[in-house]
Amino acid sequence: MAKIGNVAYDYDSEQSLDLQPKPKIRHILNQKLKPKASTAIKYTITGTIAGLLLLAIVFGRVELSKIYSEQSDLQSELSELTEANASLKSELESKTGLSQVEEYAEQTLGLQKLDKSQVEYVEVDTDEVVESVKTEDNVFVAIEKWFNDVLEYIGA
């Protein structure tokens, strides 16, 4: 129930409350919780670097795969060429064997094997001593010998 009476109401006190200066309230944000622009940039840069590293690894794997396939192709080509080389060597040996050369000489060139009657011996009546002839040395030959001796001495 409401009390109705003739109690006087003090309007001055209400005005005095209004006249009092209101306190200024400052709002301070917690700096630790506030996301910084530099943090976002750091995350972006870190993500970009991680992505680039991942792309580099994938690219490296692709290149390795290409190199391995190229190596296997070259290995198979090498084995084929080695087999072809072996067959060509055996074919060459069969064509250039001693019996083949003798047959070619007899049939195509008309040559015959030597008989003992065809061999002739020759005697030479000279001394078996070799004599060196001394040449006259001119200035240029002496300089050349000296230069060669110097080069030999220094090991060049």
Side-chain angles (χ1 to χ4, degrees), residues 5-19:
N6 61 3
V7 179
Y9 188 76
D10 185 15
Y11 288 106
D12 290 335
S13 66
E14 192 173 298
Q15 288 178 353
S16 66
L17 289 177
D18 288 339
L19 295 176

Side-chain angles (χ1 to χ4, degrees), residues 6-8 11 15 18-19 25 27 35-36 43 46 51 55 83 110 114 128 131 137-138 141-142 147 149:
N6 61 3
V7 179
Y11 288 106
Q15 288 178 353
D18 288 339
L19 295 176
I25 299 173
H27 295 285
K36 296 181 180 178
Y43 288 143
T46 304
L55 285 175
E83 292 172 5
L114 284 176
E128 295 185 16
E131 295 179 15
D137 293 340
N138 60 18
V141 173
F147 187 69
D149 291 340

